[in-house]
Amino acid sequence: MKQARLVETKKFIIEEADKPKANKGQAVVKILYCGICGSDLHVYIGHHPKVKAPVVLGHEAVGVVTQVSTGEERLKLGDRVAVVPLMGCGECEYCKLEQPNLCIDRKVIGFQTSGCLAEEVAIPVDNLIVLPDDCGDLQGALLEPAAVAVHSTGLLEKVRYSGKEVIITGAGTIGVLIGLLLKEVRGCNVTIVEINQDRINFAKGLGFKVINKITDFTGEEGARPVAFECTGNKAVFEMLRDIVPSPEVMVILGTFSREIETSIFQMCKYETFFIGSQMYTKKDLVEAAELMSTPLKEIFSKIVTDKIYKLEEVNEAYEEALNSKSGTKVIIKVS
Ligand SMILES: [Zn+2]
Ligand SMILES: [Zn+2]
């Protein structure tokens, strides 16, 4: 079978590999589609702190079960499945609470294990969910980023917040998915802050109010907004924190460099709840799959790029994802 291996920075090769076998507790999945994630791009350009080439990337994947280990009854041949890439240690307190996203020893398929840019992959059955019939194959490849949005918006349940006003910084895939969930499912008034013209057009096309400058934000008279930071940029974080009226809750998804210093005084001034959001859990992926089988899937589908690349075109696909300024997702048709 064929697989794409990143052999050095910005260079994939297509190679032949042995067909995988389903060991105990595993199923072999024939991968149909695999999305390119921002974290994949970090590895591609050699900036990822932990994951380096050579590696077979790919964790936003959907496929069909072609082999199941003996005695395994949770899946059958032909099941359409989406990959849940997160693997906790299974032992720690977080894993016991089904929060492997917080496990210190967590692994991610396609980073610490061989990923889904391969025609077939052996994956633990625990890391697969069966797609609802109404969720198309392509939408299945959106479930992982959609789960990030489901998870981060679900964190709002942990705090009190009164308003329906929402401000999101960054109209990338994640920012836009969060906006869609809050607008379409929770009926919030969503404003997205973005400066890139392609992304502005994309977000506007999805019906969002888009502004260029955070300071231009005007929510409902006097209402404190809920803010989602999706850029990982210190200046953006601080401007968002310091808007007037101050955010009631601020959920942080952007990947920030470790050395950033900021004013704790400003963080305390208006009793804003700051919530860090870390990946997702399997439950979030299941919830995302349910959303993808409602009429909302039409809107979510607009996030998939209209250009779908073949596995052999993996280098072009990554360049497109790297240079594309719009919030759409680049997808590789693996087999
Ligand atoms: Zn991802
Ligand atoms: Zn653990």
Side-chain angles (χ1 to χ4, degrees):
M1 65 142 196
K2 275 184 295 182
Q3 65 183 22
R5 181 185 297 275
L6 183 74
V7 283
E8 58 188 73
T9 300
K10 298 186 94 181
K11 186 180 176 193
F12 283 96
I13 58 157
I14 303 292
E15 62 184 16
E16 270 305 312
D18 292 338
K19 270 181 176 271
K21 281 204 186 68
N23 292 322
K24 193 170 163 24
Q26 288 184 327
V28 171
V29 179
K30 178 184 165 197
I31 303 294
L32 299 175
Y33 294 107
C34 186
I36 300 177
C37 185
S39 53
D40 293 325
L41 291 174
H42 275 120
V43 183
Y44 177 65
I45 59 173
H47 286 183
H48 199 289
K50 287 188 272 182
V51 185
K52 306 274 177 210
V55 60
V56 177
L57 292 169
H59 62 271
E60 300 185 356
V62 65
V64 177
V65 173
T66 54
Q67 216 188 99
V68 185
S69 63
T70 19
E72 180 55 64
E73 285 174 354
R74 288 172 288 174
L75 286 176
K76 56 181 187 325
L77 299 186
D79 276 346
R80 291 186 318 128
V81 288
V83 174
V84 185
L86 194 60
M87 298 192 284
C89 71
E91 306 282 317
C92 73
E93 287 311 308
Y94 292 117
C95 285
K96 284 180 192 153
L97 292 167
E98 295 185 9
Q99 295 181 308
N101 57 322
L102 308 183
C103 171
I104 201 94
D105 282 328
R106 67 169 187 248
K107 293 189 171 69
V108 176
I109 293 172
F111 288 141
Q112 284 82 21
T113 73
S114 198
C116 300
L117 288 180
E119 286 177 319
E120 291 193 275
V121 187
I123 294 171
V125 173
D126 277 336
N127 288 82
L128 295 168
I129 60 166
V130 176
L131 289 182
D133 288 344
D134 291 341
C135 176
D137 295 339
L138 259 180
Q139 283 96 0
L142 257 191
L143 290 187
E144 198 258 1
V148 173
V150 167
H151 185 74
S152 66
T153 54
L155 289 170
L156 291 178
E157 308 306 332
K158 292 186 184 280
V159 294
R160 58 111 182 96
Y161 66 104
S162 46
K164 287 247 171 216
E165 293 295 322
V166 173
I167 174 167
I168 299 171
T169 47
T173 307
I174 298 292
V176 163
L177 280 166
I178 290 170
L180 284 175
L181 275 183
L182 292 171
K183 181 159 77 79
E184 306 295 335
V185 182
R186 299 192 187 211
C188 298
N189 300 322
V190 177
T191 303
I192 300 188
V193 189
E194 179 58 61
I195 50 170
N196 177 276
Q197 197 54 46
D198 290 337
R199 288 187 176 206
I200 290 171
N201 297 344
F202 177 61
K204 281 190 174 162
L206 292 167
F208 290 111
K209 178 178 172 191
V210 185
I211 56 175
N212 297 129
K213 292 210 303 268
I214 293 174
T215 44
D216 288 344
F217 175 73
T218 47
E220 206 176 283
E221 196 76 26
R224 294 181 68 181
V226 172
F228 286 79
E229 203 311 292
C230 304
T231 69
N233 180 300
K234 171 180 152 76
V236 172
F237 168 83
E238 291 178 340
M239 277 189 280
L240 188 57
R241 176 198 63 196
D242 297 344
I243 54 172
V244 182
S246 176
E248 194 167 29
V249 188
M250 195 158 155
V251 186
I252 302 158
L253 291 101
T255 310
F256 287 86
S257 97
R258 288 170 197 224
E259 295 80 28
I260 283 179
E261 293 175 6
T262 192
S263 163
I264 294 172
F265 175 81
Q266 279 298 119
M267 292 177 73
C268 300
K269 203 168 168 190
Y270 297 104
E271 294 192 347
T272 297
F273 288 101
F274 288 87
I275 309 180
S277 187
Q278 187 61 242
M279 300 182 81
Y280 43 78
T281 64
K282 189 172 179 178
K283 190 171 142 278
D284 298 316
L285 242 116
V286 170
E287 205 175 303
E290 282 162 9
L291 277 170
M292 289 297 172
S293 52
T294 68
L296 273 179
K297 78 171 173 187
E298 300 304 328
I299 305 173
F300 283 105
S301 300
K302 292 186 185 158
I303 291 171
V304 178
T305 178
D306 45 6
K307 191 140 192 221
I308 295 166
Y309 290 81
K310 296 193 204 106
L311 188 60
E312 291 77 6
E313 300 168 325
V314 58
N315 287 296
E316 289 98 306
Y318 264 72
E319 280 303 306
E320 164 76 19
L322 193 62
N323 299 313
S324 149
K325 298 288 184 266
S326 82
T328 51
K329 175 119 316 245
V330 176
I331 304 268
I332 297 176
K333 186 174 189 315
V334 179
S335 50

